[in-house]
Amino acid sequence: MKAIAILTSGGDAPGMNAAIRAVTRSALNRDIAVYGVREGWQGLIDDRMTRLSARDVGGIIQIGGTFLGSARSKEFREEGGRSKALRNLATRGIDALVVIGGNGSQTGSAALHGVGFPVVGIASTIDNDLYGTDVTIGCDTAINVTVGAIDNLRTTGSSHTRAFLVETMGRNCGYLAMMAGLAGGAEVISTPEFEVSAFEIAERLRAAYERGKTHAIVVLAEGVKENAARIMQYFESNGGMAGFELRATVLGHVVRGAPPTAFDRLLATRLGVAALTSLAEGVSGVLIGEQRGEITRTPLAEIAGRTKPISTNLIELARVLAK
């Protein structure tokens, strides 16, 4: 193996830069040339690649996002787009590809590997919904950002006897909302997998108010049907139901761009080195992840199109601790 390429795809996640750094420096240590692909799969189709040196990836381990850029590509989903990408890789003499990203990104990895090109994926998404790994790069940072916001809002809520709705990211997976809600001591957590209706939220807030609580927090995943805007409309139409004065905060993309936590930096570094090791050993078509504390390789064919569900134990734990 003489040369590899690296790309980041889908939503950015804190720690992607640390993974790029680890893959690049591990490859250079083995005298393997490294090309960075700009703007994800579309950059591979458009041949936007640059040679990376050890210095090019210096000073980025602490920076959120991805300095290579990221994008989603409809063209790559078509056979013609993938053919362009393969021609560009062949022209540059690139022997293998490392893809850092989540579900959609690794579905693309599986498609490219399915036509015979060596690809290794690295599990990276703030949603932590990727099958084949217990934890993904960026998730820990996103949880910490969300918990920080919850802590700040709780202080204000206590000062004014208010309840706050906090809507965080996660697409159709509620892991981020669930873990941040548990860590932040939320009174109610609503996720797409275990959605709580506006009526029940009102009942729980009223119960908390009557128990003498001076504040309350409701954490919502963005993928729920009754999001923050709809719940606020419901409460405005049924004033006084919760006891508390109610406010809403939608965190949105603010949870993505933070500097990665030490955990995410270390995870990204371990997964990046493991991805290069896998390719050097002649093993491709796998996702590099972590399960039960160990670095694992899961076939990409088993990952494409699958998502990891939230444990039902978590929702029961949240219900018990909210009282």
Side-chain angles (χ1 to χ4, degrees):
M1 185 169 61
K2 295 182 179 180
I4 66 167
I6 310 171
L7 67 80
T8 50
S9 175
D12 63 305
M16 279 184 161
N17 280 327
I20 295 167
R21 172 181 179 270
V23 173
T24 299
R25 292 190 173 177
S26 296
L28 294 175
N29 186 58
R30 296 174 181 260
D31 295 322
I32 299 169
V34 182
Y35 289 84
V37 182
R38 303 286 176 175
E39 311 302 333
W41 291 114
Q42 192 60 46
L44 199 60
I45 293 171
D46 297 337
D47 196 28
R48 296 200 298 271
M49 292 184 250
T50 54
R51 187 84 173 259
L52 297 179
S53 69
R55 299 284 66 79
D56 290 326
V57 295
I60 65 172
I61 193 171
Q62 79 283 7
I63 301 174
T66 163
F67 87 98
L68 291 177
S70 184
R72 293 179 172 87
S73 173
K74 292 182 180 179
E75 189 176 359
F76 188 79
R77 298 173 189 172
E78 305 297 328
E79 185 177 348
R82 294 192 292 272
S83 295
K84 288 181 184 178
L86 288 168
R87 285 197 297 271
N88 291 333
L89 290 166
T91 298
R92 290 182 179 268
I94 295 171
D95 304 302
L97 178 66
V98 175
V99 177
I100 305 169
N103 283 304
S105 305
Q106 303 309 338
T107 297
S109 299
L112 205 61
H113 186 264
V115 296
F117 193 83
V119 184
V120 167
I122 294 178
S124 175
T125 168
I126 66 168
D127 306 328
N128 198 34
D129 60 348
L130 188 59
Y131 184 80
T133 186
D134 292 339
V135 62
T136 55
I137 296 168
C139 180
D140 183 70
T141 303
I143 290 172
N144 276 279
V145 170
T146 305
V147 170
I150 290 170
D151 290 345
N152 293 342
L153 291 169
R154 187 179 292 282
T155 298
T156 292
S158 183
S159 299
H160 296 277
T161 316
R162 286 178 182 161
F164 279 94
L165 299 175
V166 184
E167 184 178 297
T168 191
M169 297 190 82
R171 296 190 303 172
N172 294 319
C173 175
Y175 183 86
L176 176 54
M178 179 64 70
M179 301 308 285
L182 283 169
E187 278 68 30
V188 185
I189 304 171
S190 183
T191 71
E193 302 91 341
F194 305 101
E195 183 157 354
V196 182
S197 69
F199 175 78
E200 187 174 350
I201 288 173
E203 284 196 325
R204 293 193 193 181
L205 291 180
R206 167 61 72 176
Y209 183 79
E210 291 177 349
R211 290 198 302 272
K213 286 197 172 186
T214 59
H215 58 266
I217 297 290
V218 179
V219 178
L220 309 170
E222 66 177 345
V224 294
K225 295 176 182 177
E226 291 190 283
N227 59 17
R230 291 186 177 182
I231 290 174
M232 288 302 296
Q233 289 177 353
Y234 178 85
F235 275 81
E236 287 169 6
S237 300
N238 298 273
M241 287 186 66
F244 294 105
E245 185 180 354
L246 193 63
R247 293 286 188 273
T249 297
V250 179
L251 297 180
H253 287 78
V254 70
V255 304
R256 282 197 183 279
T261 59
F263 179 90
D264 273 329
R265 298 181 200 191
L266 292 169
L267 177 65
T269 299
R270 293 175 67 209
L271 299 189
V273 171
L276 195 281
T277 300
S278 182
L279 287 173
E281 293 175 352
V283 179
S284 62
V286 295
L287 176 80
I288 305 299
E290 181 187 87
Q291 298 184 67
R292 297 181 178 87
E294 300 294 329
I295 301 299
T296 57
R297 300 170 179 174
T298 304
L300 289 170
E302 296 181 9
I303 291 167
R306 298 182 67 179
T307 55
K308 183 173 59 184
I310 294 179
S311 169
T312 55
N313 292 333
L314 290 175
I315 192 65
E316 177 60 19
L317 179 62
R319 187 189 65 80
V320 170
L321 296 179
K323 293 181 179 179

